[in-house]
Amino acid sequence: RFDCTNVFVRKNVRTRSLELTHRSVKVSIIIALGVMITLGNIAVLLVISSSVAGWSRNSRYFLLSLTAADSAFGLLVMPLNLCVSLVKDYTEGPDALCHVVAFCNATVYSTCMYTLASISLERYIAVFYPLKYSSILTRKRTLLLISFSWCFPPFLLLPILFPDGIIEVHFSTASLVCNPSYSTNVGYSLSLTGFIFFPCSIIMSYANLRVWCAAKRQRLKLRKYDCARRNRHDVASRVLVPVMAAYYTCWTPCMAAMIYNAVSGSSVPEWAEFVVVWLPTSNGFLNCIFYFWINQSFRRKFRLILQRLILALCPKLANILGCCSSSKAQFISGILENNSVHERSSSVSSTCTLLTLSFSSSQETDIRFF
């Protein structure tokens, strides 16, 4: 006699085992991504907390804001969601903890997008209005813009925080994240993308496209007067194109899935949901590469700081590794600090796209990208 009960039990056991395997893989990916983001932004913070040649004061403020927002992915978003996935029973309904975690997730995501848009706006002003840069983007206005990037998202996303509010929140076993149920309020879901994603995307696209076109025109002009520079790398394309490509690759699938969920009322497949939900956090690691490590002054300053740390913590290891002596490190530090005197005060911070005007020995005008 065919025993349907045993077949049903074995099927449930296999399903449960497969779910646990998928969950272990997802947790491993999240932890690895969190470690990469945290270590990368700690290294960035060590450098931009001190002066870097070619980076103005306002640029450092924006970079500190971006580093803080990216660090929140690894230090706040990932630990909170992993803790909820470990302590929460999947059969339980929504609770206050899930609302708090969902509010933190949405706030960090939105702050990161606003900060990226602010950096693009600063770059645009520095390139096209270099003589008016100090009067347009004063220290007070810079701090106000950064404050807006951090204070407006919590105000806009405040309804998510209340358990009995208009937005329902549930824990997703597919993405291991406390997600707002945007399908319960389509108008509010669309307003989030209308106030956050689309405005930031428009600002970034317009500013970076204008800067890229200006760099392209200048590069063509330089080829007519200086044949020796024809083989020089196209730094504008090497920086701006990856920055915008990484932004749209990381954020567009998440926003598209949110709109699809709100309009259709159904969710995407399990692994597709996991990828689109956690893909924006990888932008926090890519920012370290495109905004910082591609900059030569940043890499030089990081090597100097690393040598100082090794000399201070373990002098014997420094001798074994062949690190420079303390006197040589001080000499390099003096060179880096003196180089900052010759840079324009309107230089763009980490994006390596500020066009600075300098005169060569032949009295030819040359626009360079840092």
Side-chain angles (χ1 to χ4, degrees):
R1 183 176 118 182
F2 187 74
D3 194 348
C4 297
T5 304
N6 292 335
V7 174
F8 181 75
V9 171
R10 287 196 296 270
K11 184 178 180 180
N12 286 342
V13 171
R14 287 196 299 268
T15 303
R16 182 61 178 172
S17 177
L18 185 62
E19 290 178 354
L20 292 176
T21 302
H22 287 181
R23 183 172 174 274
S24 301
V25 173
K26 293 174 183 177
V27 170
S28 301
I29 294 174
I30 293 173
I31 293 176
L33 187 59
V35 171
M36 292 169 57
I37 293 173
T38 303
L39 293 179
N41 284 280
I42 287 177
V44 169
L45 186 62
L46 289 175
V47 176
I48 62 177
S49 59
S50 59
S51 61
V52 180
W55 292 3
S56 64
R57 180 184 58 186
N58 290 342
S59 299
R60 290 174 57 200
Y61 288 158
F62 284 111
L63 294 179
L64 285 171
S65 178
L66 178 63
T67 304
D70 290 339
S71 300
F73 284 132
L75 299 177
L76 183 64
V77 172
M78 293 179 176
L80 283 178
N81 288 278
L82 288 177
C83 289
V84 173
S85 65
L86 294 175
V87 303
K88 183 176 175 60
D89 188 356
Y90 294 159
T91 60
E92 295 178 357
D95 53 15
L97 178 60
C98 258
H99 280 268
V100 173
V101 174
F103 174 77
C104 293
N105 295 344
T107 300
V108 173
Y109 280 32
S110 303
T111 301
C112 185
M113 282 192 282
Y114 275 120
T115 305
L116 290 172
S118 301
I119 291 176
S120 298
L121 183 62
E122 188 238 4
R123 174 174 57 244
Y124 176 83
I125 295 174
V127 170
F128 290 97
Y129 304 97
L131 299 180
K132 297 181 180 180
Y133 177 87
S134 300
S135 59
I136 295 176
L137 206 60
T138 61
R139 181 176 180 272
K140 181 179 180 180
R141 291 176 180 175
T142 299
L143 296 178
L144 286 176
L145 190 58
I146 294 174
S147 300
F148 174 81
S149 301
W150 283 88
C151 296
F152 182 69
F155 173 78
L156 184 64
L157 301 168
L158 195 60
I160 300 178
L161 189 59
F162 301 104
D164 298 327
I166 61 175
I167 300 297
E168 296 181 2
V169 174
H170 68 280
F171 180 79
S172 174
T173 57
S175 58
L176 302 182
V177 170
C178 290
N179 281 328
S181 300
Y182 296 106
S183 59
T184 60
N185 195 319
V186 178
Y188 185 77
S189 304
L190 296 178
S191 65
L192 291 181
T193 57
F195 281 104
I196 298 175
F197 177 72
F198 289 113
C200 295
S201 300
I202 292 173
I203 293 174
M204 290 186 63
S205 300
Y206 176 79
N208 287 288
L209 182 61
R210 287 289 308 275
V211 172
W212 183 83
C213 291
K216 202 71 176 179
R217 289 194 300 268
Q218 183 64 26
R219 183 175 175 83
L220 294 176
K221 292 179 180 179
L222 288 176
R223 287 182 177 181
K224 297 179 181 179
Y225 301 103
D226 193 353
C227 298
R229 294 180 180 269
R230 289 185 179 181
N231 295 327
R232 189 174 61 178
H233 296 292
D234 188 358
V235 183
S237 299
R238 192 178 63 182
V239 175
L240 296 180
V241 173
V243 164
M244 294 306 303
Y247 172 79
Y248 280 110
T249 301
C250 293
W251 292 99
T252 303
C254 182
M255 297 298 109
M258 189 178 72
I259 295 175
Y260 172 79
N261 184 20
V263 174
S264 64
S266 59
S267 59
V268 297
E270 176 185 355
W271 277 98
E273 179 181 341
F274 175 79
V275 171
V276 300
V277 168
W278 287 103
L279 191 59
T281 60
S282 63
N283 194 224
F285 176 73
L286 294 177
N287 288 336
C288 296
I289 298 175
F290 298 135
Y291 282 84
F292 299 98
W293 293 106
I294 202 171
N295 187 286
Q296 185 178 4
S297 299
F298 178 88
R299 297 196 303 269
R300 189 182 303 138
K301 191 61 177 289
F302 176 77
R303 287 195 295 267
L304 175 62
I305 292 177
L306 188 61
Q307 290 172 356
R308 286 178 173 178
L309 289 176
I310 295 177
L311 286 171
L313 298 178
C314 189
K316 294 182 178 180
L317 179 62
N319 293 330
I320 295 175
L321 296 177
C323 292
C324 63
S325 61
S326 58
S327 59
K328 187 175 181 181
Q330 293 176 359
F331 175 74
I332 297 175
S333 176
I335 294 177
L336 290 176
E337 292 175 357
N338 290 334
N339 285 340
S340 62
V341 177
H342 303 289
E343 300 293 339
R344 296 179 59 89
S345 61
S346 61
S347 60
V348 168
S349 49
S350 58
T351 56
C352 308
T353 57
L354 172 61
L355 300 172
T356 57
L357 187 63
S358 63
F359 296 94
S360 63
S361 58
S362 60
Q363 300 300 319
E364 294 181 350
T365 303
D366 176 20
I367 294 181
R368 298 180 299 170
F369 280 90
F370 288 91

